[in-house]
Amino acid sequence: MDIKVKELIYTANFGITGLTEFGYSFEDMVTGKMPIPSEGTQFTITLEGIVSGDKLNGKFEAIDYMRVRHDGGMELKLFGTITVEGDIKIAWSASGTGSPNPETGQMFLNEEIKMFTNNSKYSWVNNTLFWGRGVANLAIQKLEVKVYRP
């Protein structure tokens, strides 16, 4: 199914600020030094950065409960907050996939995003499903995601 996008809401640029490993090294995964265990692995990753665009601008903070399959494919579950002007908070959650490209060291991201706030200026985000498409460079721990309203 090809998803037609109508409107770019924001571009998020952020980095990894914290990492919890569960017996397998994130560095080993990124460098390929050690194969991913047959049962896969998991990481809890904290993220911070900014969102900027015509519709939303502010600070982005999130946590990702990332599962990595044996083949390197990633299942993403993220929860966070976008803080816009006046300290207005927008709850943010996403689920999606990451597909690694071993030749470039990048990971292509596809996300389904939901947001919520009780602030009337930003209530247009409520009950809307957004789509994120992006690229992560895990070696330098930087990510960019463009978020659209279909």
Side-chain angles (χ1 to χ4, degrees), residues 10-68:
Y10 64 81
T11 300
N13 287 285
F14 50 98
I16 296 174
T17 57
L19 176 67
T20 302
E21 302 170 334
F22 297 93
Y24 175 76
S25 162
F26 188 79
E27 182 180 339
D28 285 349
M29 180 188 69
V30 171
T31 62
K33 188 169 147 183
M34 296 287 295
I36 297 169
S38 61
E39 67 273 17
T41 192
Q42 181 166 330
F43 302 99
T44 301
I45 302 170
T46 54
L47 307 160
E48 283 187 22
I50 60 166
V51 300
S52 57
D54 291 340
K55 298 290 184 179
L56 283 178
N57 290 283
K59 182 178 178 182
F60 174 81
E61 297 174 286
I63 189 164
D64 184 1
Y65 301 97
M66 181 174 78
R67 300 287 315 261
V68 183

Side-chain angles (χ1 to χ4, degrees), residues 17-142:
T17 57
L19 176 67
T20 302
E21 302 170 334
F22 297 93
Y24 175 76
S25 162
F26 188 79
E27 182 180 339
D28 285 349
M29 180 188 69
V30 171
T31 62
K33 188 169 147 183
M34 296 287 295
I36 297 169
S38 61
E39 67 273 17
T41 192
Q42 181 166 330
F43 302 99
T44 301
I45 302 170
T46 54
L47 307 160
E48 283 187 22
I50 60 166
V51 300
S52 57
D54 291 340
K55 298 290 184 179
L56 283 178
N57 290 283
K59 182 178 178 182
F60 174 81
E61 297 174 286
I63 189 164
D64 184 1
Y65 301 97
M66 181 174 78
R67 300 287 315 261
V68 183
R69 298 187 314 258
H70 176 44
D71 65 2
M74 298 170 187
E75 300 168 9
L76 312 172
K77 285 195 187 309
L78 300 104
F79 299 91
T81 304
I82 296 173
T83 305
V84 295
E85 88 286 338
D87 206 33
I88 297 167
K89 307 281 190 208
I90 300 172
W92 183 96
S93 64
S95 61
T97 61
S99 303
N101 181 335
E103 287 98 45
T104 66
Q106 295 180 322
M107 179 174 66
F108 299 103
L109 306 169
N110 293 294
E111 299 172 339
E112 178 182 278
I113 299 166
K114 297 177 183 175
M115 294 183 263
F116 179 83
T117 186
N118 284 120
N119 182 281
S120 60
K121 182 176 179 180
Y122 293 97
S123 64
W124 58 269
V125 303
N126 300 339
N127 302 312
T128 301
L129 189 61
F130 298 90
W131 294 100
R133 303 288 184 257
V135 176
N137 185 328
L138 297 179
I140 61 170
Q141 301 184 5
K142 298 290 182 193

